């Protein structure tokens, strides 16, 4: 959306030709930035509550860096920036391309995630508990944990508590499981851990197979 488009909407509202509610609906869908190989959706947060997440897999390091640059140019945005499925090479290009504007960028090697934190405001209710069955599930669990935190939630980890040693899980039944508002279970394809956790709590349980 350019200034002319925005001016037309504002003038229509001022003249009484367009209801404010209708104007909001239009603004939800208009703005994106065409950078050639990608169309960056700057109003994703307005429509869905969080800015567009950049999937690094399948993109070149420079493409990821340019999308990050487009998002960082929105000075009025306070939303965090999240890039998933990346490696140290992509992180290096993101930092080099964006310079000082990306000084808050951090690379999380276990999960393969880049975060650029612009706000620490907590908007979610309660705590999200991210549970993993084994150590090999931690990379996926860490991605879920960082995603939840970057989207304004309190999130805590509980790792290596698979049902093969169920006493490890039951030890945290009251202190963590019962206190969570949502639980994300990251485990193998058999689905044993989410099933057990689902039988212990009265909150939503999201199963993530690895």
């Amino acid at each position: 959306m350019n200034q002319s488009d925005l001016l037309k909407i504002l003038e229509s509202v001022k003249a009484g030709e367009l209801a404010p509610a209708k104007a909001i609906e239009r603004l939800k869908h208009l703005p994106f930035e065409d950078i050639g190989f990608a169309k960056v959706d700057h109003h994703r947060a307005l429509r869905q509550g969080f800015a567009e997440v950049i999937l690094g897999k399948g993109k070149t390091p420079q493409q990821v860096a340019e999308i990050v640059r487009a998002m960082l140019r929105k000075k009025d945005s306070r939303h965090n920036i999240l890039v998933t499925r990346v490696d140290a090479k992509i992180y290096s290009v993101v930092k080099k391309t964006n310079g000082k504007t990306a000084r808050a960028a951090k690379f999380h090697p276990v999960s393969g995630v880049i975060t650029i934190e612009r706000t620490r405001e907590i908007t979610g209710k309660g705590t999200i508990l991210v549970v993993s069955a084994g150590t090999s599930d931690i990379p996926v669990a860490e991605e879920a944990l960082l995603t939840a935190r970057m989207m304004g939630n309190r999130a805590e980890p509980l790792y290596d508590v698979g049902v093969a040693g169920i006493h490890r899980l039951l030890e945290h039944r009251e202190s963590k499981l019962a206190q969570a508002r949502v639980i994300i279970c990251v485990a193998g394809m058999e689905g044993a851990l989410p099933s057990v956790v689902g039988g212990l709590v009265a909150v939503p349980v999201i199963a993530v197979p690895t």
Side-chain angles (χ1 to χ4, degrees):
M1 180 175 64
N2 56 38
Q3 290 184 356
S4 177
D5 294 328
L6 180 57
L7 185 60
K8 287 179 181 178
I9 292 175
L10 294 176
E11 287 177 342
S12 295
V13 173
K14 182 179 179 181
E17 299 169 354
L18 183 66
K22 291 290 185 181
I24 291 174
E25 285 300 315
R26 290 190 185 182
L27 289 171
K28 283 183 179 180
H29 301 286
L30 280 176
F32 66 87
E33 182 178 352
D34 191 340
I35 58 174
F37 58 86
K39 294 177 176 61
V40 183
D41 184 359
H42 290 302
H43 266 205
R44 182 75 59 87
L46 179 61
R47 299 195 313 275
Q48 298 184 334
F50 188 78
E52 182 175 8
V53 175
I54 304 167
L55 175 65
K57 185 177 181 180
K59 295 182 178 72
T60 67
Q62 195 60 43
Q63 285 174 334
V64 173
E66 290 299 330
I67 295 172
V68 170
R69 184 204 293 269
M71 296 180 75
L72 286 171
R73 276 199 296 260
K74 289 293 181 180
K75 303 295 185 182
D76 57 337
S77 175
R78 293 180 63 248
H79 290 281
N80 295 324
I81 296 175
L82 180 66
V83 189
T84 63
R85 309 297 170 91
V86 296
D87 54 24
K89 180 180 179 181
I90 291 178
Y91 172 66
S92 177
V93 175
V94 167
K95 290 283 285 186
K96 183 178 180 180
T97 301
N98 291 285
K100 291 182 179 180
T101 59
R103 59 182 176 273
K106 293 181 181 179
F107 177 56
H108 306 265
V110 174
S111 59
V113 166
I114 297 172
T115 58
I116 301 178
E117 190 174 63
R118 298 196 281 185
T119 177
R120 294 186 177 182
E121 181 183 2
I122 300 296
T123 56
K125 297 179 180 180
T127 299
I128 296 174
L129 185 65
V130 182
V131 181
S132 85
T135 304
S136 60
D137 300 309
I138 289 178
V140 177
E142 280 287 295
E143 182 179 339
L145 184 74
L146 287 167
T147 299
R149 287 175 174 171
M150 291 294 284
M151 291 186 175
N153 297 284
R154 294 182 183 86
E156 299 295 334
L158 178 59
Y159 295 161
D160 197 24
V161 290
V163 297
I166 198 168
H167 55 288
R168 299 174 298 177
L169 176 67
L170 296 178
E171 180 181 345
H172 301 281
R173 183 175 182 178
E174 297 298 328
S175 61
K176 292 193 174 183
L177 295 175
Q179 304 303 316
R181 188 176 177 88
V182 176
I183 298 175
I184 300 174
C185 281
V186 182
M189 296 292 288
E190 82 287 345
L193 181 61
S195 298
V196 171
V197 171
L200 296 173
V201 298
V203 298
V205 176
I206 301 171
V208 182
T210 58

